[in-house]
Amino acid sequence: MVKKNIYKACIAICGAMLTTACGDSFLDHTPDERIELNAATLTDVQCINMINASYPGANYGWIGELSSDNIIDNNAPHMPTSTNSEQKETHLNLNSMDRFDDELFEFKPCVSAKYQDTPYYIWEDEYSSIAMTNVIINLINEHEQLVGKDNLSPIKKAVRGEAKILRAYCHFILVNIFSQAYKDDNASKNDIGIPYVTEVETTVRVEYDRSNVADVYAKIAKDLEEGMAELNDTHMEKPKWHFNIAAANAFAARFYLSYHKYDKVIEHADNVLGKGPVNVSNKLMSYEPFSDYVYAKDFATYFQSPDNKNNLMLITSLSYNFYHAIGYRYAMNGEAARAVFFHPTPTSGNLIIHPAAVASYQYASYSSEDADYGYYSFKIYYVFEYSDKISGTGQAHQVRREFTNTLLLLERAEAKILTGDYDGAVSDMADYEASRLTIGNTLKKAYDIKDIPLTKEMILDWYNPATHGINNPAITLRQKHENTLDNSTDGWGNAKHMGINIPDAAVPYMNCLNDMRRYETMWDGLRFFDLKRWGIKYAHIIGPQSKKIELDWDDARRAVEAPLEARTAGMESSRTKLSTESPISGKARVSLPESSIFMMK
């Protein structure tokens, strides 16, 4: 089943029902509350209202974190996070927040839950958004045929462009979760994809084909390019909640980075950040305002605000991501937290935690000073909407910072590394590090932080696996940096299987980038995408007996399994390996919903 409820019932297009002269009776009204849309009379306002309602509300952050190396099992023996603490293994005896956490951490299919933060919820919600975009695109196409191409209003054209970009984005999220990472066109033809849905469903049961990853990426590129050709954001009342022009370019850069088209990454990033030696500081995240905040809500508001110059696009989601991380079995703790943010960096001297994490409370802890249950971040703080205050029930709303200038800068830096422009990459990473050190004078004095710029020489020394590698037995724990990998199969060596060439000269730069991305994307779920596309080997250690599950670059479990309901309906497993000699299967039948807001007329 791709989507049970095809269209989101969350907007009202028309202000009144059609009536007749028969009096106030049942026959005076349409038989349900769906809205009839007619291509001949389609208005700009209807198009705007539809696209406003089309954005997904699911959050893949927890799935991504739990499936990556950013989370550990607190019940498994682990070292303390701080290198100042006695390096003695400990383990706890905690329950998981939900059974599906156990399933996903062990890389098993999730069969126990279907609500927020589960694969089922992501699958359903993204395909719901896709269905809405298909309605919009179809209606505007029909309207264009009736009025003529030259008479199509600029707003309708812009909304169609936005809808195509949103459709591309939703498929991009789905393929990165439920399939293997893109390698190249030949190798990725052997990896099962996800259904790329472009037609409006008008029959009771529809067959969908999962195709392959190469085909899905080609279709994403087509939608993205066609959408950007028509996109205009002048009609957007609140552009930060839409694919405005800057956000669309940021998405294009992220997509082409995964697609290994690095010149396009740089081109789209330049469209937002500027080209050449320009000052990007006025566009990046500033940590200075955090000095004035006390409460979690204040920190979250600044992180998630559309007025924050760093934020390019925000998405409101229903998610309990924040709750999963607090006081339960699976947490950002121990060696994982050490790798994410609790380690020295070239510009922070001997500090054991990056000052930006201190300033922004990205190292908040639930239990004690030593955070023995793990850490969480105020950037994923939520607003709780009560449906019943007496019983304490309701829904948690979290704003996702889906595209930011700081992450776009790092994506451009990676593209420069992979095209051999090391100096250009250093410039971008130095700008990024400068933004992290805008922590205010109080903290700078307290931690004796000097405004020392990140340099090429620092990177070549600090991120050299021969001197600071995590597997180097000749150095102290404090001198090791968890994100400093070598070019072996335990490090960057598997990238070649993923279609990425990382010569030895590029390794220190990739290590620096890896370190920065791991911090910047924590709790967003994007670390999971990075591990997949880079082919980095990683493991989950489970329970007091330290059961080890290790995923190599080609492990089928790197793809989250498709929901049970989809597979029961006939959809093939996400962990199926295709053959180029045999036809691709993976078809499933789905039913139209019992009711939907839109009826095609």
Side-chain angles (χ1 to χ4, degrees):
M1 179 174 59
V2 171
K3 178 62 189 172
K4 202 177 208 177
N5 300 313
I6 300 294
Y7 308 128
K8 292 182 175 179
C10 53
I11 60 172
I13 305 292
C14 301
M17 292 288 186
L18 295 174
T19 58
T20 68
C22 299
D24 188 14
S25 69
F26 173 77
L27 294 178
D28 288 349
H29 305 280
T30 52
D32 55 41
E33 295 184 354
R34 294 179 292 176
I35 303 302
E36 293 190 20
L37 293 170
N38 190 313
T41 59
L42 186 67
T43 68
D44 288 350
V45 172
Q46 287 176 333
C47 292
I48 291 172
N49 286 339
M50 282 190 290
I51 196 66
N52 288 348
S54 297
Y55 282 79
N59 191 326
Y60 58 90
W62 180 242
I63 289 178
E65 295 301 294
L66 196 60
S67 300
S68 76
D69 56 357
N70 279 354
I71 299 292
I72 70 163
D73 178 3
N74 272 325
N75 294 353
H78 58 276
M79 294 293 187
T81 300
S82 173
T83 52
N84 281 345
S85 300
E86 181 184 359
Q87 295 302 295
K88 181 180 179 181
E89 279 192 342
T90 184
H91 68 85
L92 305 175
N93 186 23
L94 299 172
N95 293 321
S96 56
M97 179 180 169
D98 200 289
R99 184 181 169 190
F100 84 80
D101 290 348
D102 300 319
E103 294 167 343
L104 290 177
F105 194 78
E106 293 193 45
F107 305 107
K108 293 179 178 178
C110 176
V111 297
S112 62
K114 297 173 23 175
Y115 36 78
Q116 286 95 331
D117 304 306
T118 64
Y120 175 92
Y121 194 81
I122 302 296
W123 180 278
E124 290 281 287
D125 193 66
E126 297 293 341
Y127 275 118
S128 175
S129 292
I130 289 166
M132 281 283 288
T133 63
N134 290 337
V135 170
I136 295 168
I137 294 165
N138 187 77
L139 277 167
I140 295 175
N141 286 345
E142 288 188 4
H143 180 81
E144 184 179 44
Q145 290 176 358
L146 293 171
V147 303
K149 184 177 181 180
D150 293 338
N151 294 320
L152 185 66
S153 73
I155 287 180
K156 290 187 182 70
K157 185 181 294 186
V159 169
R160 181 169 62 187
E162 184 181 351
K164 287 187 177 182
I165 294 169
L166 179 55
R167 183 168 72 183
Y169 163 81
C170 291
H171 284 106
F172 178 72
I173 297 302
L174 288 165
V175 76
N176 273 280
I177 294 174
F178 297 103
S179 298
Q180 300 296 325
Y182 176 85
K183 302 177 179 73
D184 59 53
D185 281 350
N186 288 328
S188 292
K189 287 178 181 177
N190 294 328
D191 291 327
I192 196 165
I194 46 96
Y196 205 99
V197 183
T198 59
E199 299 296 329
V200 176
E201 294 177 359
T202 56
T203 58
V204 175
R205 298 179 72 82
V206 184
E207 280 195 344
Y208 288 98
D209 193 330
R210 288 196 68 158
S211 186
N212 60 68
V213 170
D215 183 57
V216 171
Y217 265 72
K219 289 177 179 176
I220 293 173
K222 181 176 184 293
D223 263 348
L224 182 55
E225 290 164 9
E226 289 180 358
M228 293 199 70
E230 294 191 316
L231 184 65
N232 188 308
D233 54 15
T234 56
H235 68 282
M236 297 177 182
E237 186 176 342
K238 296 180 179 180
K240 289 285 183 81
W241 302 95
H242 290 261
F243 271 112
N244 57 76
I245 291 175
N249 274 285
F251 168 48
R254 184 171 302 171
F255 166 69
Y256 286 119
L257 188 62
S258 297
Y259 206 14
H260 306 168
K261 298 184 184 300
Y262 305 121
D263 290 341
K264 283 184 172 289
V265 177
I266 296 168
E267 173 192 341
H268 286 286
D270 285 349
N271 288 343
V272 180
L273 301 171
K275 185 178 181 180
V278 295
N279 180 14
V280 297
S281 61
N282 62 335
K283 298 181 180 180
L284 302 181
M285 180 77 173
S286 173
Y287 286 80
E288 188 170 3
F290 288 122
S291 301
D292 299 327
Y293 303 145
V294 176
Y295 301 106
K297 184 178 179 181
D298 297 328
F299 285 85
T301 298
Y302 177 68
F303 265 123
Q304 301 168 6
S305 172
D307 296 326
N308 189 322
K309 60 189 178 183
N310 179 47
N311 295 334
L312 296 176
M313 179 175 149
L314 304 167
I315 293 179
T316 301
S317 67
L318 293 176
S319 175
Y320 292 94
N321 187 352
F322 189 84
Y323 291 97
H324 286 270
I326 302 177
Y328 289 104
R329 178 173 180 177
Y330 304 105
M332 187 177 287
N333 199 14
E335 294 90 331
R338 187 183 295 172
V340 175
F341 62 86
F342 222 108
H343 59 270
T345 62
T347 59
S348 58
N350 289 322
L351 290 178
I352 61 170
I353 181 172
H354 199 285
V358 177
S360 59
Y361 270 80
Q362 297 226 64
Y363 82 121
S365 62
Y366 167 75
S367 51
S368 71
E369 183 179 355
D370 292 330
D372 50 359
Y373 288 1
Y375 296 87
Y376 56 93
S377 167
F378 284 167
K379 88 174 183 183
I380 59 168
Y381 197 69
Y382 61 93
V383 174
F384 197 84
E385 179 186 15
Y386 287 97
S387 55
D388 187 334
K389 287 192 174 182
I390 296 176
S391 63
T393 57
Q395 294 179 316
H397 296 262
Q398 181 196 325
V399 175
R400 282 188 61 89
R401 302 156 68 242
E402 199 63 22
F403 296 100
T404 64
N405 281 318
T406 48
L407 191 51
L408 178 60
L409 186 71
L410 293 181
E411 288 161 344
R412 184 172 72 178
E414 182 178 348
K416 289 178 178 179
I417 294 170
L418 296 175
T419 55
D421 180 10
Y422 301 144
D423 289 341
V426 170
S427 177
D428 282 347
M429 292 189 289
D431 285 338
Y432 171 78
E433 186 60 15
S435 77
R436 283 204 295 182
L437 293 179
T438 56
I439 58 175
N441 290 328
T442 301
L443 275 175
K444 282 185 178 179
K445 289 180 181 178
Y447 287 95
D448 193 27
I449 300 297
K450 304 292 192 303
D451 288 321
I452 301 174
L454 181 69
T455 65
K456 183 175 185 177
E457 291 71 27
M458 286 181 179
I459 293 172
L460 292 176
D461 172 59
W462 197 270
Y463 293 104
N464 183 347
T467 55
H468 292 287
I470 189 62
N471 296 319
N472 188 342
I475 58 176
T476 66
L477 181 62
R478 181 69 66 83
Q479 293 171 314
K480 296 181 180 183
H481 309 302
E482 286 81 352
N483 301 317
T484 300
L485 309 174
D486 58 24
N487 222 351
S488 71
T489 55
D490 288 328
W492 296 108
N494 287 325
K496 61 180 180 292
H497 300 299
M498 307 305 298
I500 300 174
N501 177 38
I502 302 179
D504 289 340
V507 166
Y509 304 105
M510 287 299 294
N511 283 334
C512 181
L513 178 88
N514 181 26
D515 196 18
M516 291 175 169
R517 279 189 64 87
R518 200 159 181 187
Y519 172 85
E520 187 63 28
T521 64
M522 65 173 161
W523 298 115
D524 295 333
L526 295 175
R527 173 65 178 176
F528 179 48
F529 294 3
D530 286 350
L531 290 169
K532 291 171 71 169
R533 66 191 182 87
W534 289 334
I536 291 177
K537 186 187 300 185
Y538 68 106
H540 283 176
I541 310 300
I542 299 167
Q545 307 307 316
S546 294
K547 174 186 174 184
K548 185 177 184 180
I549 303 177
E550 187 171 60
L551 300 191
D552 210 341
W553 70 273
D554 59 348
D555 197 301
R557 292 169 296 182
R558 284 181 177 256
V560 174
E561 183 57 279
L564 175 64
E565 291 75 12
R567 289 181 284 119
T568 300
M571 189 74 70
E572 279 203 26
S573 166
S574 293
R575 295 164 180 180
T576 300
K577 193 68 177 176
L578 302 176
S579 169
T580 53
E581 283 77 36
S582 61
I584 298 166
S585 56
K587 293 182 178 179
R589 294 184 179 274
V590 296
S591 300
L592 279 172
E594 295 177 1
S595 64
S596 58
I597 191 169
F598 299 118
M599 293 189 297
M600 299 302 298
K601 186 175 180 180

